[in-house]
Amino acid sequence: MRKRILLLLALVMSIGLLVMGCSQSKTKIEVKTPEEAARMEGDPVQNLAIKEKEWLGRLDAVRGEISRSFTAWEQGKATKEEFLKQLSTSKAAVRGLIKEYDLHMEVNYFPEDKKNEDIYKDGLAYGDKLRTTVNNFIFMATEGIMDAQTNKLKKLTDDQIKDLYKNYMVEKYDEYRTKLEAALEKGKK
């Protein structure tokens, strides 16, 4: 009797496994190249606005990290080396955003006449300027600036980095961000 129950149980389990195996659908996974993934259909201005909104959110997060690190350094809660280390960490994220923008513009045709429209030249173009501004600040703060006499990079003093931060990460960033946001709002209408 016990053998029959075990045999019946084994048979039921075998049939169950067979049914489950046959009923599973075969999902086809499609792998896209970065170019295929970046390609967008439709209005190029609207597509760029969609991407700029995404990139702005990510860039704001990087700016927040830099700002917190800068404040900690300025208040003596962190060393200059810790601040510069944070900048080096942020560099990869900013360069990634720059590469995404370059890829987007490469694979999505953006007509020259669209670049003359107010929404682009007075707004959307500032997304690229924002990323460049943050990238330039990080480079100058971590690597220095070119010395005209020696033709080599010269490290900045603490005061120079602080002035650079105020100029690039506060004044220019806020100015460019305001212009970009205005274009993104205009694009919604």
Side-chain angles (χ1 to χ4, degrees), residues 52 55-56 59-60 62-63 66 87 90-91 93-102 105 120 124-141 164 167-170 172-174 176-177 180:
E52 285 295 354
W55 295 327
L56 179 59
L59 190 62
D60 280 345
V62 171
R63 180 194 188 197
I66 292 171
L87 291 181
S90 297
K91 180 178 13 180
V94 174
R95 291 214 173 139
L97 291 170
I98 290 169
K99 286 180 182 178
E100 285 181 42
Y101 169 80
D102 290 344
M105 295 305 276
Y120 178 80
L124 293 177
Y126 284 92
D128 188 36
K129 291 179 182 186
L130 265 174
R131 291 180 291 277
T132 301
T133 296
V134 175
N135 187 59
N136 288 347
F137 167 74
I138 291 171
F139 181 83
M140 288 185 282
L164 196 66
N167 184 23
Y168 279 71
M169 296 303 294
V170 177
K172 283 185 179 181
Y173 192 96
D174 289 344
Y176 295 167
R177 188 181 194 289
L180 175 59

Side-chain angles (χ1 to χ4, degrees), residues 60-78:
D60 280 345
V62 171
R63 180 194 188 197
E65 292 168 1
I66 292 171
S67 177
R68 283 186 291 282
S69 183
F70 177 81
T71 301
W73 172 49
E74 194 174 42
Q75 294 175 350
K77 297 177 182 175

Side-chain angles (χ1 to χ4, degrees), residues 10-189:
L11 184 62
V12 169
M13 287 176 59
S14 298
I15 293 172
L17 289 172
L18 181 64
V19 169
M20 279 185 15
C22 291
S23 68
Q24 288 183 349
S25 65
K26 306 264 189 231
T27 304
K28 190 175 187 179
I29 298 173
E30 186 176 329
V31 179
K32 292 183 176 184
T33 65
E35 291 80 10
E36 291 170 335
R39 191 163 287 118
M40 297 176 79
E41 298 295 325
D43 180 44
V45 174
Q46 286 295 91
N47 291 342
L48 182 58
I50 290 167
K51 296 305 290 182
E52 285 295 354
K53 185 172 180 141
E54 173 195 331
W55 295 327
L56 179 59
R58 290 167 49 200
L59 190 62
D60 280 345
V62 171
R63 180 194 188 197
E65 292 168 1
I66 292 171
S67 177
R68 283 186 291 282
S69 183
F70 177 81
T71 301
W73 172 49
E74 194 174 42
Q75 294 175 350
K77 297 177 182 175
T79 65
K80 179 181 178 181
E81 289 71 31
E82 291 170 323
F83 172 62
L84 295 177
K85 184 177 179 185
Q86 171 61 51
L87 291 181
S88 294
T89 302
S90 297
K91 180 178 13 180
V94 174
R95 291 214 173 139
L97 291 170
I98 290 169
K99 286 180 182 178
E100 285 181 42
Y101 169 80
D102 290 344
L103 180 61
H104 175 83
M105 295 305 276
E106 181 182 317
V107 300
N108 296 292
Y109 176 67
F110 201 90
E112 284 300 315
D113 64 319
K114 296 285 186 185
K115 290 182 179 179
N116 293 323
E117 291 181 12
D118 289 343
I119 193 166
Y120 178 80
K121 69 179 182 179
D122 295 337
L124 293 177
Y126 284 92
D128 188 36
K129 291 179 182 186
L130 265 174
R131 291 180 291 277
T132 301
T133 296
V134 175
N135 187 59
N136 288 347
F137 167 74
I138 291 171
F139 181 83
M140 288 185 282
T142 58
E143 302 298 323
I145 58 173
M146 188 64 68
D147 185 320
Q149 294 173 346
T150 64
N151 224 16
K152 294 183 180 182
L153 288 175
K154 177 182 170 187
K155 294 285 186 182
L156 299 176
T157 66
D158 291 2
D159 287 338
Q160 288 173 320
I161 292 174
K162 289 175 183 179
D163 288 343
L164 196 66
Y165 177 85
K166 182 180 179 213
N167 184 23
Y168 279 71
M169 296 303 294
V170 177
E171 293 169 2
K172 283 185 179 181
Y173 192 96
D174 289 344
E175 176 189 344
Y176 295 167
R177 188 181 194 289
T178 299
K179 290 178 180 182
L180 175 59
E181 277 192 316
L184 294 174
E185 284 300 314
K186 211 183 281 185
K188 286 182 184 178
K189 297 175 184 175

